[in-house]
Amino acid sequence: MRILLTNDDGVFAPGLAALHAAVRDLGEVCVFAPRQPQSAAGHSITLTGPLSVEHVHLGPDQDFTGRGVGGSPADCVRLAIREILDEPVDLVLSGINAGANIGVNVFYSGTVAAAAEGAILGKPAVAFSTAIDGGDLDFPHIGRICRWVLDRLLADGLEPGRLVNVNVPLLEEGVPRGIRVGPQAIVEVEDTYLRQDDEAGCQVYRLSEEYGFAPGPKESDVELLAEGYVVVTPLRVDMTDHARLASLASVDWTHRPDDFR
Ligand code: MN
């Protein structure tokens, strides 16, 4: 199996090394990740600028090398699959992100976007993230949990284009309470913009580092992760509201030629 491994925390992030270590026995792991941290880059791609690519050594192990890309997470996946890799990729993995990607954060997340780009390109793709609280993260342990989940996803059969989002809770009790499958909770993010005008008197705001979520539905990603479960969420790239297609199509759209002049 050929795995494309990426992230949004940057190619040298410990979460990427942990995921690499957790999956390397599955086959060939090709690392393409942003040179610089790209958290909250979402699904952006580089339209006009050059996209530099350089080989980087990622650890003491001589085999642990990758490509650092001067672009976004989605750029990395597009470049790797469509342009640079000679052999087809069987699976795209993204993470392990330092910070949960649940609720609306799924939209801002470069970690999830990188996996979504893999799905768009017809690959099965999984994004991995972990909750953080400012303390040290035991990434080797979190990596083993991610691998446990991945093994079950693979055994279940990850079809081309499938996208799965996995979040690991804070391991306060040492181990997660269990694994739950749950939907995204689209609830308000409770963060704040702090006004910090600069010396020239320009109006400047900075997003607070602290944030939380408003309470979500009981079995949603936000609630389950807070309760200490590993949360597995199947996502889809197709954002169409299929249930609304028929009712919106039934609007009277008839027009006279003059309407569009
Ligand atoms: Mn990140």
Side-chain angles (χ1 to χ4, degrees):
M1 177 153 62
R2 184 170 295 100
I3 297 171
L4 174 60
L5 173 59
T6 189
N7 73 353
D8 80 357
D9 289 338
V11 70
F12 297 109
L16 183 139
L19 191 52
H20 185 276
V23 304
R24 62 185 304 173
D25 64 300
L26 288 174
E28 182 189 350
V29 182
C30 309
V31 175
F32 280 75
R35 281 283 294 169
Q36 303 295 331
Q38 294 280 318
S39 291
H43 210 128
S44 64
I45 59 169
T46 302
L47 284 185
T48 54
L51 275 173
S52 63
V53 180
E54 65 177 322
H55 285 267
V56 286
H57 254 284
L58 297 173
D61 181 347
Q62 286 297 309
D63 296 347
F64 190 19
T65 62
R67 249 70 72 95
V69 177
S72 72
D75 282 328
C76 293
V77 174
R78 288 164 61 96
L79 257 187
I81 291 179
R82 294 175 50 180
E83 195 60 34
I84 297 179
L85 292 176
D86 293 326
E87 305 287 336
V89 165
D90 303 304
L91 175 67
V92 175
L93 301 179
S94 183
I96 304 164
N97 188 63
N101 279 310
I102 51 176
V104 295
N105 281 5
V106 169
F107 290 100
Y108 308 133
S109 170
T111 307
V112 175
E117 186 62 35
I120 287 169
L121 296 175
K123 310 300 178 186
V126 187
F128 293 99
S129 306
T130 180
I132 52 175
D133 67 352
D136 289 340
L137 292 171
D138 184 353
F139 267 121
H141 185 188
I142 296 163
R144 290 194 297 276
I145 294 168
C146 293
R147 171 61 187 270
W148 192 96
V149 174
L150 178 62
D151 282 343
R152 274 134 196 93
L153 290 172
L154 290 172
D156 179 57
L158 265 181
E159 293 154 3
R162 289 272 189 233
L163 175 60
V164 182
N165 189 27
V166 177
N167 280 278
V168 176
L170 286 174
L171 301 175
E172 286 164 319
E173 306 283 314
V175 289
R177 285 178 69 184
I179 316 284
R180 291 287 187 84
V181 175
Q184 248 183 302
I186 302 303
V187 293
E188 202 172 322
V189 179
E190 294 172 332
D191 56 13
T192 47
Y193 286 96
L194 310 170
R195 186 158 182 175
Q196 297 180 342
D197 291 2
D198 67 14
E199 286 156 21
C202 276
Q203 194 173 342
V204 175
Y205 293 86
R206 193 175 294 274
L207 191 57
S208 61
E209 284 183 25
E210 305 220 331
Y211 77 94
F213 289 99
K218 201 168 169 331
E219 295 293 312
S220 67
D221 57 0
V222 167
E223 295 303 316
L224 290 169
L225 196 72
E227 289 167 16
Y229 292 99
V230 176
V231 190
V232 179
T233 305
L235 299 176
R236 50 190 307 165
V237 173
D238 179 0
M239 292 171 70
T240 308
D241 184 349
H242 287 269
R244 279 274 287 151
L245 277 174
S247 65
L248 206 52
S250 71
V251 168
D252 182 6
W253 299 108
T254 50
H255 62 278
R256 296 169 302 244
D258 277 355
D259 290 344
F260 293 153
R261 286 192 204 286

